[in-house]
PDB file of all heavy atoms in Angstrom:
ATOM      1  N   ARG A  24      94.013 -89.945 -60.585  1.00  0.00           N
ATOM      2  CA  ARG A  24      92.697 -90.616 -60.384  1.00  0.00           C
ATOM      3  C   ARG A  24      92.148 -90.012 -59.112  1.00  0.00           C
ATOM      4  O   ARG A  24      92.873 -89.759 -58.115  1.00  0.00           O
ATOM      5  CB  ARG A  24      92.858 -92.106 -60.123  1.00  0.00           C
ATOM      6  CG  ARG A  24      93.558 -92.826 -61.223  1.00  0.00           C
ATOM      7  CD  ARG A  24      92.693 -92.879 -62.445  1.00  0.00           C
ATOM      8  NE  ARG A  24      93.103 -94.142 -63.240  1.00  0.00           N
ATOM      9  CZ  ARG A  24      92.978 -94.092 -64.603  1.00  0.00           C
ATOM     10  NH1 ARG A  24      92.430 -92.989 -65.278  1.00  0.00           N
ATOM     11  NH2 ARG A  24      93.336 -95.137 -65.278  1.00  0.00           N
ATOM     12  N   ASP A  51     119.701 -96.784 -35.543  1.00  0.00           N
ATOM     13  CA  ASP A  51     120.010 -95.447 -35.355  1.00  0.00           C
ATOM     14  C   ASP A  51     119.125 -94.810 -34.256  1.00  0.00           C
ATOM     15  O   ASP A  51     117.881 -95.101 -34.237  1.00  0.00           O
ATOM     16  CB  ASP A  51     119.839 -94.694 -36.644  1.00  0.00           C
ATOM     17  CG  ASP A  51     120.484 -93.316 -36.713  1.00  0.00           C
ATOM     18  OD1 ASP A  51     120.208 -92.493 -35.778  1.00  0.00           O
ATOM     19  OD2 ASP A  51     121.215 -93.034 -37.583  1.00  0.00           O
ATOM     20  N   GLU A  88      96.305-111.164 -39.402  1.00  0.00           N
ATOM     21  CA  GLU A  88      96.920-112.500 -39.283  1.00  0.00           C
ATOM     22  C   GLU A  88      97.887-112.506 -38.126  1.00  0.00           C
ATOM     23  O   GLU A  88      97.940-113.448 -37.336  1.00  0.00           O
ATOM     24  CB  GLU A  88      97.571-112.950 -40.517  1.00  0.00           C
ATOM     25  CG  GLU A  88      98.084-114.382 -40.468  1.00  0.00           C
ATOM     26  CD  GLU A  88      98.272-115.137 -41.703  1.00  0.00           C
ATOM     27  OE1 GLU A  88      97.482-114.951 -42.734  1.00  0.00           O
ATOM     28  OE2 GLU A  88      99.221-115.919 -41.878  1.00  0.00           O
ATOM     29  N   ARG A 108      82.027-109.787 -46.087  1.00  0.00           N
ATOM     30  CA  ARG A 108      83.187-110.572 -46.686  1.00  0.00           C
ATOM     31  C   ARG A 108      84.219-110.632 -45.699  1.00  0.00           C
ATOM     32  O   ARG A 108      85.007-111.551 -45.521  1.00  0.00           O
ATOM     33  CB  ARG A 108      83.592-109.892 -47.894  1.00  0.00           C
ATOM     34  CG  ARG A 108      84.735-110.589 -48.634  1.00  0.00           C
ATOM     35  CD  ARG A 108      86.004-109.739 -48.536  1.00  0.00           C
ATOM     36  NE  ARG A 108      87.173-110.562 -48.907  1.00  0.00           N
ATOM     37  CZ  ARG A 108      88.015-110.174 -49.856  1.00  0.00           C
ATOM     38  NH1 ARG A 108      87.931-109.034 -50.416  1.00  0.00           N
ATOM     39  NH2 ARG A 108      89.109-111.008 -50.016  1.00  0.00           N
ATOM     40  N   SER A 256     104.291-118.993 -36.573  1.00  0.00           N
ATOM     41  CA  SER A 256     104.751-118.041 -37.601  1.00  0.00           C
ATOM     42  C   SER A 256     105.864-117.330 -36.944  1.00  0.00           C
ATOM     43  O   SER A 256     105.845-116.987 -35.659  1.00  0.00           O
ATOM     44  CB  SER A 256     103.652-117.009 -37.979  1.00  0.00           C
ATOM     45  OG  SER A 256     104.257-115.993 -38.817  1.00  0.00           O
ATOM     46  N   ASN A 274     116.671-108.035 -32.547  1.00  0.00           N
ATOM     47  CA  ASN A 274     116.376-108.057 -33.984  1.00  0.00           C
ATOM     48  C   ASN A 274     115.423-108.998 -34.421  1.00  0.00           C
ATOM     49  O   ASN A 274     115.396-110.189 -34.011  1.00  0.00           O
ATOM     50  CB  ASN A 274     117.845-108.344 -34.620  1.00  0.00           C
ATOM     51  CG  ASN A 274     117.754-108.155 -36.199  1.00  0.00           C
ATOM     52  OD1 ASN A 274     117.849-109.104 -36.930  1.00  0.00           O
ATOM     53  ND2 ASN A 274     117.655-106.938 -36.619  1.00  0.00           N
TER      54      ASN A 274
ATOM     55  N   ARG B  32     122.499 -89.579 -43.162  1.00  0.00           N
ATOM     56  CA  ARG B  32     123.354 -90.618 -42.717  1.00  0.00           C
ATOM     57  C   ARG B  32     124.011 -91.277 -43.980  1.00  0.00           C
ATOM     58  O   ARG B  32     123.194 -91.505 -45.025  1.00  0.00           O
ATOM     59  CB  ARG B  32     122.718 -91.784 -42.003  1.00  0.00           C
ATOM     60  CG  ARG B  32     121.956 -91.257 -40.718  1.00  0.00           C
ATOM     61  CD  ARG B  32     122.826 -90.821 -39.656  1.00  0.00           C
ATOM     62  NE  ARG B  32     122.183 -90.832 -38.307  1.00  0.00           N
ATOM     63  CZ  ARG B  32     122.465 -90.006 -37.254  1.00  0.00           C
ATOM     64  NH1 ARG B  32     123.368 -89.169 -37.428  1.00  0.00           N
ATOM     65  NH2 ARG B  32     121.796 -90.179 -36.170  1.00  0.00           N
ATOM     66  N   ASP B  59      92.766-100.861 -61.082  1.00  0.00           N
ATOM     67  CA  ASP B  59      92.918 -99.915 -62.212  1.00  0.00           C
ATOM     68  C   ASP B  59      93.866-100.556 -63.316  1.00  0.00           C
ATOM     69  O   ASP B  59      94.769-101.107 -62.919  1.00  0.00           O
ATOM     70  CB  ASP B  59      93.557 -98.645 -61.628  1.00  0.00           C
ATOM     71  CG  ASP B  59      93.487 -97.410 -62.649  1.00  0.00           C
ATOM     72  OD1 ASP B  59      93.893 -97.660 -63.857  1.00  0.00           O
ATOM     73  OD2 ASP B  59      93.026 -96.377 -62.225  1.00  0.00           O
ATOM     74  N   GLU B  96     109.244-116.457 -45.385  1.00  0.00           N
ATOM     75  CA  GLU B  96     108.176-117.221 -44.753  1.00  0.00           C
ATOM     76  C   GLU B  96     107.049-117.597 -45.690  1.00  0.00           C
ATOM     77  O   GLU B  96     106.558-118.692 -45.641  1.00  0.00           O
ATOM     78  CB  GLU B  96     107.566-116.452 -43.561  1.00  0.00           C
ATOM     79  CG  GLU B  96     106.601-117.293 -42.747  1.00  0.00           C
ATOM     80  CD  GLU B  96     106.330-116.744 -41.319  1.00  0.00           C
ATOM     81  OE1 GLU B  96     107.242-116.393 -40.621  1.00  0.00           O
ATOM     82  OE2 GLU B  96     105.212-116.901 -40.868  1.00  0.00           O
ATOM     83  N   SER B 264      98.597-120.423 -43.606  1.00  0.00           N
ATOM     84  CA  SER B 264      98.707-118.980 -43.481  1.00  0.00           C
ATOM     85  C   SER B 264      97.786-118.540 -44.620  1.00  0.00           C
ATOM     86  O   SER B 264      97.827-119.079 -45.738  1.00  0.00           O
ATOM     87  CB  SER B 264     100.109-118.488 -43.665  1.00  0.00           C
ATOM     88  OG  SER B 264     100.114-117.053 -43.834  1.00  0.00           O
ATOM     89  N   ASN B 282      90.888-111.238 -55.508  1.00  0.00           N
ATOM     90  CA  ASN B 282      91.288-110.366 -54.441  1.00  0.00           C
ATOM     91  C   ASN B 282      91.929-111.131 -53.271  1.00  0.00           C
ATOM     92  O   ASN B 282      91.313-112.103 -52.848  1.00  0.00           O
ATOM     93  CB  ASN B 282      89.994-109.629 -53.888  1.00  0.00           C
ATOM     94  CG  ASN B 282      90.273-108.541 -52.926  1.00  0.00           C
ATOM     95  OD1 ASN B 282      90.032-108.627 -51.766  1.00  0.00           O
ATOM     96  ND2 ASN B 282      90.972-107.461 -53.474  1.00  0.00           N
TER      97      ASN B 282
END
Side-chain angles (χ1 to χ4, degrees):
Chain A
R24 301 291 201 210
D51 193 307
E88 185 159 323
R108 185 248 166 131
S256 168
N274 190 250
Chain B
R32 302 292 201 209
D59 192 308
E96 185 159 322
S264 168
N282 190 249

